[in-house]
Every structure is written in C-alpha cells, then in structure tokens.
Amino acid sequence: MKKIHFGVIKVKRWASNLIIALVIACVGGFAVFAGLSIVPTTAVSGVYYNGDTTKNDVTLMINVYWGTEYLDDMLEILNNYNVKTTFFIGGTWAVLNEDYLTKIYESGHELANHGYHHKDHDKLDEAGNLNEISTTHKIVKELTGVEMDLFAPPSGAYDSLTVTCAEQLGYHTIMWTRDTIDWRDHDSNLIYSRAVKNAKGGDLILMHPTEATVEALPRIIEFFQANNFNLTTVSENIGLV
C-alpha cells in the first residue's frame, strides 16, 4: 500500500497523537460551554441531525483524532455483535495511523470525513473550509480507495459557508442527535445513559474511542438490539443507500 509523507509532520506518532488530543480537549471544552454539545432539535437546511425517525435505525458515529489505543477493543466488540457503523476520520490522524485506518475499513465500517486539523469551520473562509475537507478526502482515498461523502464538522462548529463548501465537494454535512460527551466524562455508566435514554429511531449518537466508551459499548449495543433497534451506518440511517 502506498505511503503518504507530509513534510510538515516530522514528529513521532505518539507525540503527535498526544498534541492532537490536547488541542481537541481544549476545543471541545469550549464547545460544551458554548452549547455545541447539546444539539438543537431544529436542523439547519442541508445538515443532518438525525435519520428517518419513522424507522428503528440508530447509529453509533465514532469520531477519530485520538484514542488509537482503544480501537482494537472497539472494533472487536463491534465485530462480536455484528455491528457496522461509521467512523469519522481526522486527516492528521489518518496520516499517522494508516494501519488502523485500513483495519477500520477492512472490518466493513463506513469511513467519513472529520476535517484535517480539527478546526472550527465556522471561523474558516471558503478556501479554509475546502482545504480541510478536500485534504482529508485525498488522504483517505489514497490510503483506502474510498470516496467519502459524509462530513462531520469538528466540535459541531459550522455555518452556511461550511455546508456550501461541503456540497461543492460532494459531501453531506452530518451533526448528531445525542452526544455521549465521552471525551470529557470518563464514566461508562454516564456514557451508557446518554446513548440510550429516550432512544428513538433515526438517532445519530456521537462517541469517541475512549476507555470508558469501550467499557460501555457492549451494554449500549445490547440495549439497542434487545429493543428492536437496527444499528447501522450513517448513510443507511439518513437514507443515502
């Protein structure tokens, strides 16, 4: 498989992943303070906050910029329960973790775009929006051959320009119905409760690869399966396939 080398990335994998995690923690903290982690029920035109509410489809959408050390366990659990879902991939993470990116794809999961540097897209101009999305698209396509068409704005930060730029690149903009806030609250019971409480068809449930999420994941899956929900990909949930 062809390797990609970027001159701007000269640090070791572990150091880079640590830096990314720290940056996202800061950005994410601001997002919660600003109310971005609690998604309003009214969706902006062209943005998906949920799938078809008349069906019993739900999706565990997993954003990946860090937490690589928990992916093996997460993928094993999903496989054991025969669940296929959607991983939103950060570009900088993909460059440093080609083996895991390939493993996610070869496990049958859907790959989607989470931008390159985890920037707030509502603060970017047209060129910035296009570059963040298209750079990640090119990397993932080069490494896996996948033509992604779903984009989740980092921190849930977007505006009409973001949506327009995503559409220009052939992308649908994806938000979430409910947020486990697992990057902040490392409590498996709390993560479980946020994922399943008042669950309904069409839910898009945001999570990340964390130790507590891995601990909660079997119970989350078992709840949905026991209550006749169909755990599926974002594309299937919103009716693109």
Side-chain angles (χ1 to χ4, degrees):
M1 181 174 292
K2 183 178 179 181
K3 300 284 185 178
I4 293 182
H5 301 281
F6 290 83
V8 296
I9 301 174
K10 296 295 185 181
V11 295
K12 293 182 179 179
R13 175 182 295 187
W14 65 267
S16 181
N17 283 337
L18 175 61
I19 293 169
I20 293 168
L22 291 172
V23 170
I24 293 171
C26 293
V27 173
F30 173 78
V32 171
F33 179 79
L36 290 173
S37 284
I38 307 301
V39 177
T41 56
T42 302
V44 174
S45 177
V47 180
Y48 292 87
Y49 285 83
N50 55 261
D52 188 344
T53 58
T54 67
K55 297 182 179 180
N56 283 339
D57 292 342
V58 296
T59 304
L60 307 176
M61 47 184 289
I62 303 167
N63 290 354
V64 185
Y65 264 97
W66 42 267
T68 310
E69 64 271 32
Y70 303 113
L71 282 174
D72 282 326
D73 289 339
M74 182 170 276
L75 289 170
E76 182 178 0
I77 292 167
L78 292 169
N79 180 65
N80 288 342
Y81 285 92
N82 196 30
V83 172
K84 304 303 180 187
T85 193
T86 304
F87 285 78
F88 286 85
I89 304 299
T92 52
W93 179 87
V95 169
L96 296 167
N97 294 278
E98 178 185 350
D99 50 349
Y100 274 100
L101 175 65
T102 302
K103 186 172 184 177
I104 292 169
Y105 174 60
E106 291 182 347
S107 296
H109 300 291
E110 180 176 47
L111 300 180
N113 196 320
H114 199 34
Y116 187 72
H117 282 116
H118 204 278
K119 293 184 176 181
D120 288 347
H121 279 248
D122 59 344
K123 296 180 175 64
L124 300 178
D125 58 14
E126 181 178 14
N129 272 283
L130 292 171
N131 185 62
E132 283 288 308
I133 301 171
S134 64
T135 300
T136 302
H137 184 95
K138 292 173 184 176
I139 291 168
V140 172
K141 182 180 179 181
E142 180 72 20
L143 296 177
T144 67
V146 174
E147 293 274 8
M148 302 181 295
D149 62 0
L150 302 177
F151 169 64
S155 303
Y158 73 91
D159 56 17
S160 59
L161 178 61
T162 304
V163 178
T164 298
C165 288
E167 289 175 347
Q168 288 177 13
L169 294 170
Y171 273 86
H172 304 276
T173 300
I174 309 297
M175 289 291 286
W176 59 83
T177 314
R178 54 180 65 220
D179 187 353
T180 62
I181 321 179
D182 53 358
W183 56 266
R184 186 192 69 185
D185 298 326
H186 305 294
D187 182 328
S188 62
N189 291 324
L190 189 56
I191 292 167
Y192 170 80
S193 177
R194 287 171 176 162
V196 306
K197 186 177 181 180
N198 300 321
K200 59 186 182 301
D203 278 357
L204 302 175
I205 303 164
L206 178 61
M207 54 180 53
H208 304 80
T210 75
E211 183 177 7
T213 302
V214 168
E215 183 179 342
L217 190 56
R219 285 190 292 154
I220 292 171
I221 294 173
E222 288 169 4
F223 170 88
F224 284 118
Q225 292 182 339
N227 287 278
N228 298 316
F229 286 96
N230 178 40
L231 286 160
T232 188
T233 65
V234 171
S235 287
E236 290 175 299
N237 198 340
I238 66 177
L240 294 182
V241 295

